[in-house]
Amino acid sequence: MSAEPRLALLLALADDELVMGHRLSEWTGWVPYVEEDLAMSSIAQDEIGHARALYEIASAIDGRDPDALALGRDAGDYTHAVVCERPNRDYAYTAARHYLYDTADDVRLDALKGSTFKELAEVVRVLRIEEGYHLEHARAWFERLATGPVDARQRFGDALSDALPEAMALFEPLPGEDAMTSDGTMPASNEEQLTRWLGIIGADLERVGLERVLETGSEEDIGEVLPTSSGASEVSGERKPLRVPGLERRDGRWVHAGSFSGAGGRTGHHSEDFDVLWREMTDLYRAHPGARW
Amino acid sequence: MSTTTIELAVRDAIARVKDPEIPVVTIGDLGVIEHVIVSGDAIEITLLPTFVGCPALDVIRADVERAAREAAPDTTITVRFTLSIPWTTDRITDAGREALRSFGIAPPGEPRLLQIAVPCPNCGSRDTVLESAFGPTACRTIRYCNACRNPFEGFKPKGER
């Protein structure tokens, strides 16, 4: 097959990790307590390292060196999902995106570990080990905030609602994807991966009584988790009709329906937030071409 | 020198290179040396990174190259890292584990089981807890000893899942 779809896949994966890592690194020195500051910084360092490993494989196809791929492209040539470039806002949004991103990353790495693209499958095998720590961290915050005091729960639910539509676009189809699913480069299509992911996060959200995130978005009082004799959670308030675009509940499962509301990232269409991030992230590289550090 | 002699000399020299972030442990004890291949006057050294994003990798590469050059001066030396085999904490030798402990870093327990208590490197008690999976470097965790009431660092257990 032509190398271009594989390059597109590698760059999408690498750009997601690089931009996520850059955003997380912005917490360094600002998190309210030191263990979490180290965690954010350490995860950021891992993600940027993972990006480098993926750019190295991409470099063999593209010809440009890994630094040039990471920092030497125009903003419109980056193909990360838009959700990655959004500012950190508060810790609720950071934790919500962290949970959505790392559960999604786990689904796609699990799919890619069986890729026929040998170099990618080998790297994915290593990345999955390290991503396991990120996933545990993201899940710990999910449990803590989703079942926490009402203010934490409300803000976390709102943040999940805000991040969810754009997080779904982590599974926006890639250019040339059909060729990659038929030759086994992608053992599961993005659409199949999205279905798996929605199953996972749908079950999580229903378990903690936050299914409103999937149903109505953020303009709803999320309520407190009330303990019941059966151990199940009950939430006060009436259900509103479905509002999250591209998402439907059918036969007891959350499924993707229609278009992606946060799409465009995979074809280089980004928000204004990325202009700011790109300028900062590439400033040194552009100011001192060829510098080594 | 014969090819075998050169290979053994290079292996011995690079195995003694210290980890720049944990200077009591050698890269030989960490088990990061995967291959040393000598063909003619070319030496190819392949290393496994402990953690993919470890910023010490470039320093380790330079130190390994320097050590190899001292051991085999008139050769062409290539040092590269590969991810084709995952590095896991099973590769750390007993001497490496003891060196970590003497430095105040608890050696890793069972791969992937972060929560399992590891003995405190200060007092030896097993009454310890994981405070955070993330420490001052990618390969370390933060733990706390309930017996001697000291926080301590642990090497992050790493294995395939």
Side-chain angles (χ1 to χ4, degrees):
Chain A
M1 71 183 284
S2 97
E4 282 68 33
R6 287 184 167 186
L7 182 60
L9 172 64
L10 288 165
L11 291 179
L13 295 168
D15 291 349
D16 278 356
E17 294 278 285
L18 177 70
V19 174
M20 245 358 288
H22 187 86
R23 277 299 182 212
L24 292 177
S25 78
E26 293 174 352
W27 277 110
T28 302
W30 292 94
V31 185
Y33 64 98
V34 69
E35 288 84 357
E36 199 50 25
D37 202 304
L38 287 172
M40 282 289 124
S41 307
S42 190
I43 294 171
Q45 191 180 65
D46 284 345
E47 301 295 34
I48 292 168
H50 296 176
R52 180 171 68 176
L54 293 160
Y55 287 130
E56 276 171 14
I57 312 176
S59 172
I61 301 173
D62 179 271
R64 282 175 284 182
D65 71 50
D67 278 349
L69 289 173
L71 303 169
R73 285 178 292 153
D74 292 335
D77 292 336
Y78 285 77
T79 54
H80 58 275
V82 171
V83 69
C84 303
E85 75 207 25
R86 293 300 188 191
N88 291 324
R89 290 168 44 177
D90 55 6
Y91 217 77
Y93 183 82
T94 297
R97 175 171 55 185
H98 180 25
Y99 163 76
L100 295 171
Y101 180 80
D102 276 293
T103 48
D105 199 30
D106 189 51
V107 167
R108 74 180 169 193
L109 293 181
D110 187 56
L112 290 169
K113 72 178 196 275
S115 174
T116 54
F117 185 3
K118 184 169 155 284
E119 292 85 349
L120 177 61
E122 285 174 350
V123 166
V124 162
R125 191 175 153 203
V126 176
L127 300 192
R128 283 186 79 241
I129 300 175
E130 297 184 7
E131 291 295 347
Y133 304 117
H134 304 179
L135 189 61
E136 270 183 50
H137 183 260
R139 285 195 166 283
W141 274 106
F142 179 89
E143 296 299 329
R144 183 179 298 180
L145 296 177
T147 61
V150 69
D151 182 48
R153 183 171 156 78
Q154 180 75 45
R155 287 172 62 184
F156 188 56
D158 291 353
L160 284 166
S161 299
D162 289 352
L164 178 67
E166 288 183 344
M168 286 169 61
L170 284 160
F171 299 101
E172 181 186 348
L174 288 162
E177 182 168 321
D178 290 348
M180 288 191 285
T181 49
S182 47
D183 80 350
T185 300
M186 288 178 68
S189 69
N190 267 300
E191 193 64 31
E192 289 169 298
Q193 294 175 40
L194 174 58
T195 303
R196 286 178 204 168
W197 179 67
L198 287 173
I200 291 164
I201 66 161
D204 282 347
L205 290 166
E206 290 184 358
R207 178 171 50 78
V208 298
L210 280 182
E211 56 271 56
R212 268 155 223 246
V213 166
L214 301 155
E215 290 169 351
T216 61
S218 63
E219 290 162 24
E220 182 86 358
D221 181 7
I222 275 165
E224 232 170 323
V225 182
L226 304 173
T228 63
S229 55
S230 68
S233 306
E234 271 178 12
V235 180
S236 53
E238 290 298 310
R239 295 273 172 90
K240 289 261 179 75
L242 302 181
R243 211 198 54 161
V244 175
L247 195 57
E248 274 181 31
R249 191 178 163 87
R250 277 190 222 136
D251 307 325
R253 284 184 63 90
W254 291 97
V255 293
H256 178 228
S259 59
F260 288 94
S261 56
R266 301 299 184 214
T267 48
H269 295 90
H270 296 290
S271 69
E272 287 173 6
D273 293 326
F274 188 56
D275 293 338
V276 181
L277 188 157
W278 179 84
R279 273 200 298 277
E280 184 188 283
M281 185 174 76
T282 60
D283 187 45
L284 190 66
Y285 187 86
R286 286 180 292 116
H288 302 279
R292 300 197 64 80
W293 58 84
Chain B
M1 284 199 289
S2 76
T3 297
T4 317
T5 320
I6 294 172
E7 186 190 315
L8 289 176
V10 169
R11 271 187 187 278
D12 184 56
I14 67 173
R16 282 184 277 119
V17 168
K18 303 279 198 250
D19 179 323
E21 286 180 338
I22 314 172
V24 295
V25 185
T26 64
I27 65 160
D29 281 336
L30 285 176
V32 306
I33 302 166
E34 179 61 18
H35 293 304
V36 176
I37 297 168
V38 180
S39 48
D41 57 2
I43 301 176
E44 197 183 295
I45 299 167
T46 307
L47 308 174
L48 306 182
T50 52
F51 280 73
V52 177
C54 176
L57 296 182
D58 289 337
V59 177
I60 293 172
R61 191 204 315 263
D63 289 351
V64 166
E65 195 174 328
R66 191 177 311 115
R69 196 169 305 282
E70 280 169 17
D74 299 312
T75 54
T76 310
I77 294 155
T78 318
V79 183
R80 67 181 191 103
F81 283 95
T82 182
L83 295 174
S84 59
I85 304 151
W87 179 88
T88 62
T89 41
D90 292 341
R91 297 175 68 110
I92 303 176
T93 63
D94 288 344
R97 295 174 65 86
E98 190 43 48
L100 285 170
R101 190 179 295 117
S102 73
F103 193 60
I105 298 176
E110 280 294 297
R112 288 288 307 144
L113 297 176
L114 270 176
Q115 303 290 343
I116 285 191
V118 297
C120 170
N122 303 313
C123 75
S125 170
R126 281 198 165 266
D127 185 11
T128 66
V129 289
L130 177 72
E131 294 262 283
S132 174
F134 302 96
T137 68
C139 58
R140 301 190 224 177
T141 58
I142 305 173
R143 296 175 184 268
Y144 184 80
C145 177
N146 291 321
C148 70
R149 303 197 175 178
N150 278 303
F152 63 94
E153 291 173 14
F155 205 97
K156 195 180 284 182
K158 199 175 181 196
E160 287 200 82
R161 59 185 178 125

